[in-house]
Structures are given as structure tokens and as C-alpha cells.
Amino acid sequence: MAIIGRLYDADGLDREVQLSRDVVEKLGEKQLLWVDISEFQESEVREVGALLGLPEQAIQSLLQPIRRPRLDNYGDFLHININCIQENKQRYNAAELDFVVDKNFIITVHSVPIDFLKSFDRQTKGDTQLGHLDAAAFLTALLDWHVTSFFRIIERLDLEVDRLDELALEPYRDHDLFNDLIVLRRRVGQVRMALTPHREVYAALTRPDFAPLTGIDPAHHFLALNERLERAIESVENARELLVGSFEIFTTQATLRTNSIMKILTLVSVTLLPASVLTGITGLLIKTPVYDIGDEGFWVMLSMMAGIGALTVVFARRKRWI
């Protein structure tokens, strides 16, 4: 487990601190404490909760998987649960992230490393002005990074859709796009299912009943954040529609290709069928030495027929007709 405490001080230097009762008791109005708990164990979460004065109900909520984003108002502080998308080798895994927000401290709890928290922490290292912020404003910054992480994933999905569109428009290609389209459709669906449930949480933060808790006008911080979430949802819906268009391009190109193949096969059939019929009738009605090929000639003809059939199959496979 890793417990990292960062103290942002408007009148001093921002620094990493060892979490203790002395640090908590000396928190001032111009200080903000961020405690990040990663890969936790129950005893350690309880220890941190006791230091920061969390009730048993809140600690139990942190220890139990919630699965769906939610927001709980405990009067003196908020408990917020969200889902994050972690990308690993073009696969998406969901990870829970909990926030506990008080006046001048914020706790983040997660069982696996969260990429956007790492990015935020890297960007804010050194002396900053975060000590001037209260925990609600700091929460807004973290949630904004949360939405940004989805925007980055959606951007990569859009690029992948464009790449498949270009391949689908090629008249001759060796790669079958159908499986790629299915995989991409599944990935878009995973992002959409992870993102849309956050509407309840982000909308709840804009309600006036949270203003007394945060001490700020919710419209100042959370309304803009909620609008940004809606834009992210619109973006993933747009990616879904683009992918549907990619399926249509793929099926149209497959139809055109099938028509082209049928034209070739029809031409070959029309060309060879009269000759085959004429040869068969002639062999039945006319007796000439040409048709008297004997047993050896019979087996040669069968071998030639089998060879022509095999060559036809190989040719069709190379042309991706079958």
C-alpha cells in the first residue's frame, strides 16, 4: 500500500508530509491536505480514517466496492465514487476511485494506480498556489482531469475509426476489417458504459444543497464541469455513430467487391459453357480417334480435372473470393 500526503500551503512551500495527528491538527485555512491511498488494506484505511475523523459508515463505504458512481452527503463532508478507464494493450479495465472531501482536506482511495492522478501529481509538483484553494475547488480540478482522461481515450478511438475507414475504402486489401470493427465497437461501448453513469454524480454536485457544505456557489465550479462531462458523452456517442458509418462503408465495399467477382465468374461461365456442351454432345454422336483415349487417357483427364479444380480454389483464395 502507498499513502502519500501532500500539503499545499499558501503562506509557505508545498511539500510531501508523513500523515500524522499533528499534521491534521495544525491544518490552517490557507492550507490544503491531499491524502492519496493506493492499493490499500483495511487496517490502513481505518487508520487514516481515524486520523481525519471519518465516521464508521464512511470508512465502510470506502472499503466496499460500489461499482456504480454515487455521491453521499455526510453533512460535514462528501463521499464521491467514480469509475476510471485504464487502457492496457488496447483493452479497457474499469477502476474505482473514491473521494472524501472536507473543508481543507481531500482523500483519494483506489485499489489500483490511476493514470490521471499520476499526471495531475506530476504537473503540480513544486511550489504552487493550490493552498489558496479549498477542497471543493481542488476536487473540481481532479474531476476535470477525470473527464479529460475520457476525452483522450475518445480521441484515440476517433483516430482508429478514421484508419479503418481509409482501409475500408481501398478497392483491394489483404486485411479483413470485420474483426477489427467488432473489437472497436466493443471498446467504444466500454467507454460509453463507463462514462454515462457519472451524469448523476456530476449533476448532483451542481445542486444548491451542496453550497453550505463547500462554502461556494456551486455554479462557479461544478456547472462548467457538468457541461464538460456532457460534451464528453456527446463525443463518445459521435464516435459510436462514426463506427456505424464505418460498418456501412465496409458492407458497401463488400457488396461492390462481390458484384465484381460475380461479373468475372459469369463471364467465365458464359464463355466456357457453350464449349463444354458442344464437346459433350460431339463426344456422344461422333466417333473419331480423338475420343478413343483408352484407360490411360481416362485417368489423365481425371487428373487434369482435379488439377484445374485445385488451381481454381487456390486462385479464388488468393483473390479473397472465398
Side-chain angles (χ1 to χ4, degrees):
M1 169 177 159
I3 302 178
I4 300 175
R6 296 201 180 278
L7 183 64
Y8 302 100
D9 194 337
D11 294 330
L13 294 176
D14 299 341
R15 60 192 183 275
E16 186 172 322
V17 296
Q18 185 72 30
L19 188 63
S20 65
R21 187 167 299 280
D22 184 61
V23 170
V24 175
E25 291 177 350
K26 290 182 178 180
L27 278 177
E29 293 183 358
K30 294 185 178 181
Q31 291 180 324
L32 176 65
L33 177 64
W34 176 24
V35 181
D36 183 62
I37 307 175
S38 177
E39 300 173 271
F40 56 85
Q41 296 179 4
E42 179 177 347
S43 59
E44 294 163 318
V45 172
R46 289 186 177 279
E47 180 182 353
V48 173
L51 282 174
L52 295 172
L54 301 183
E56 177 64 23
Q57 185 180 1
I59 295 175
Q60 286 292 339
S61 295
L62 289 174
L63 294 173
Q64 295 176 359
I66 298 177
R67 300 187 182 277
R68 183 175 178 85
R70 58 180 290 182
L71 184 149
D72 294 322
N73 185 351
Y74 287 89
D76 294 332
F77 62 90
L78 297 178
H79 176 204
I80 301 171
N81 174 273
I82 63 174
N83 288 328
C84 307
I85 286 288
Q86 304 291 94
E87 187 173 8
N88 182 22
K89 297 180 180 179
Q90 296 187 339
R91 295 180 63 89
Y92 294 135
N93 299 314
E96 285 192 13
L97 173 61
D98 290 270
F99 296 91
V100 177
V101 186
D102 204 329
K103 291 288 185 182
N104 55 355
F105 73 78
I106 183 168
I107 310 171
T108 51
V109 182
H110 44 99
S111 59
V112 296
I114 303 297
D115 293 337
F116 81 83
L117 288 182
K118 292 181 181 179
S119 300
F120 180 86
D121 189 41
R122 285 195 299 267
Q123 193 178 62
T124 57
K125 280 184 177 178
D127 195 23
T128 69
Q129 297 299 312
L130 292 176
H132 288 285
L133 302 178
D134 59 14
F138 190 76
L139 170 67
T140 306
L142 290 177
L143 291 179
D144 186 72
W145 277 74
H146 172 242
V147 177
T148 298
S149 67
F150 279 96
F151 271 116
R152 291 174 178 171
I153 290 175
I154 295 168
E155 181 181 357
R156 290 194 291 270
L157 291 175
D158 286 341
L159 291 175
E160 185 66 16
V161 171
D162 290 340
R163 185 186 70 85
L164 293 181
D165 283 348
E166 292 177 1
L167 291 176
L169 290 171
E170 293 179 1
Y172 302 101
R173 62 178 184 277
D174 295 330
H175 183 61
D176 188 2
L177 300 181
F178 188 69
N179 289 333
D180 291 345
L181 289 169
I182 292 176
V183 171
L184 189 57
R185 173 66 180 84
R186 185 181 301 115
R187 293 171 64 194
V188 171
Q190 288 173 342
V191 174
R192 179 174 175 270
M193 292 299 294
L195 183 60
T196 52
H198 291 94
R199 275 178 166 153
E200 300 175 12
V201 172
Y202 281 64
L205 287 171
T206 65
R207 297 204 310 260
D209 52 312
F210 289 109
L213 175 66
T214 60
I216 59 174
D217 179 8
H220 181 66
H221 289 277
F222 297 119
L223 281 176
L225 183 62
N226 188 51
E227 291 175 359
R228 196 157 187 262
L229 174 69
E230 291 299 328
R231 289 198 299 272
I233 294 174
E234 290 175 1
S235 297
V236 75
E237 293 290 352
N238 182 62
R240 190 184 183 193
E241 293 176 1
L242 290 175
L243 190 57
V244 172
S246 299
F247 271 105
E248 293 177 353
I249 292 174
F250 172 77
T251 54
T252 301
Q253 286 294 97
T255 302
L256 293 175
R257 194 174 179 188
T258 301
N259 290 339
S260 178
I261 295 171
M262 292 304 299
K263 288 179 182 178
I264 296 173
L265 295 178
T266 301
L267 179 62
V268 172
S269 299
V270 170
T271 303
L272 297 181
L273 182 59
S276 301
V277 173
L278 182 61
T279 302
I281 295 174
T282 304
L284 291 173
L285 300 179
I286 303 176
K287 293 186 177 296
T288 65
V290 175
Y291 295 102
D292 189 13
I293 58 176
D295 294 341
E296 183 178 348
F298 173 76
W299 292 111
V300 170
M301 289 296 296
L302 287 182
S303 300
M304 292 177 62
M305 292 169 62
I308 291 172
L311 288 174
T312 302
V313 171
V314 171
F315 180 78
R317 290 287 295 175
R318 288 179 63 87
K319 289 292 185 178
R320 302 186 68 83
W321 294 350
I322 59 174

